[in-house]
Amino acid sequence: MSGFRIRPATGADARVLTDMLVEAANWDAARSRARLTVLEDPAVLRYIAGWRRPGDLGCVAEDANGVAVGACWARLFPANAPGAGFVAVGVPELTLGVYPVWRARGAGRALLQELLGMAAEAGATRVSLSVERGNFAHRLYVSEGFTTARQRETADTMVRTLR
Ligand SMILES: CC(C)(COP(=O)(O)OP(=O)(O)OC[C@H]1O[C@@H](n2cnc3c(N)ncnc32)[C@H](O)[C@@H]1OP(=O)(O)O)[C@@H](O)C(=O)NCCC(=O)NCCS
């Protein structure tokens, strides 16, 4: 890790998390949508709406001046309104993003590892996510112990067991 530190995400971090949600939704530059269009999509908005509600947990990486570098967070969804990476009630689904200028410097992996630790500490036994197979983040998740629980059309639902 270099040039950034990681701290727990608070209710005041909604803007940073929203930025990262847009980055995650727009991971493929060829299919990028305007920020407002992304956030009008209920399938995207549900990952951040009402942050920070009971059960939400997350972390933010920031530079030496306290400026956000990226964030990783996880949220619980009910079975009747599941997220794209839903596997079961009680299994939080995570979202990860790093601002473009900070990418490929270790922040994404460090945030992911921190979130996994936070989830385990909060009592979760598994964490899930949804990732498109074309996104190199897929390989990052595999390298951090995630396995594919379900293959969908172009995306995988992945799960990481916590010890
Ligand atoms: C995915 C993302 C969070 C990774 O963050 P990051 O800070 O760039 O990642 P790291 O620097 O920790 O690198 C993690 C691994 O990915 C690899 N990697 C980084 N950038 C890469 C790139 N452009 N292409 C391929 N691999 C890359 C690194 O080599 C590293 O592997 P290594 O440790 O074996 O060298 C970041 O690229 C991002 O915000 N992307 C857009 C949002 C997104 O797609 N989120 C995930 C949605 S499921």
Side-chain angles (χ1 to χ4, degrees):
M1 195 194 297
S2 67
F4 58 88
R5 68 177 192 101
I6 296 180
R7 60 164 176 80
T10 72
D13 290 313
R15 173 65 194 226
V16 176
L17 272 56
T18 302
D19 287 351
M20 295 304 99
L21 184 60
V22 173
E23 292 294 331
N26 281 340
W27 70 272
D28 182 357
R31 290 188 288 136
S32 184
R33 296 179 290 170
R35 179 186 178 92
L36 271 180
T37 306
V38 170
L39 294 175
E40 277 168 8
D41 182 349
V44 176
L45 191 61
R46 64 188 165 184
Y47 289 96
I48 190 65
W51 173 267
R52 170 180 179 168
R53 68 188 189 198
D56 287 347
L57 50 95
C59 50
V60 171
E62 57 186 23
D63 71 10
N65 298 314
V67 177
V69 162
C72 188
W73 70 102
R75 153 165 282 193
L76 293 163
F77 291 95
N80 64 358
F86 181 88
V87 291
V89 171
V91 179
E93 184 177 335
L94 78 78
T95 305
L96 170 67
V98 170
Y99 286 102
V101 291
W102 271 92
R103 289 188 190 156
R105 292 158 74 175
R109 188 184 294 280
L111 282 161
L112 179 59
Q113 291 175 346
E114 181 72 16
L115 193 280
L116 294 175
M118 294 175 84
E121 208 164 291
T125 55
R126 291 185 293 166
V127 166
S128 74
L129 58 82
S130 174
V131 61
E132 301 261 343
R133 280 188 289 281
N135 188 342
F136 78 83
H138 193 285
R139 292 197 294 279
L140 167 63
Y141 297 135
V142 169
S143 74
E144 290 296 332
F146 283 81
T147 56
T148 300
R150 190 158 65 92
Q151 286 196 320
R152 310 195 317 277
E153 200 175 337
T154 59
D156 283 351
T157 299
M158 304 189 85
V159 174
R160 167 67 143 75
T161 300
L162 305 172
R163 283 167 201 90

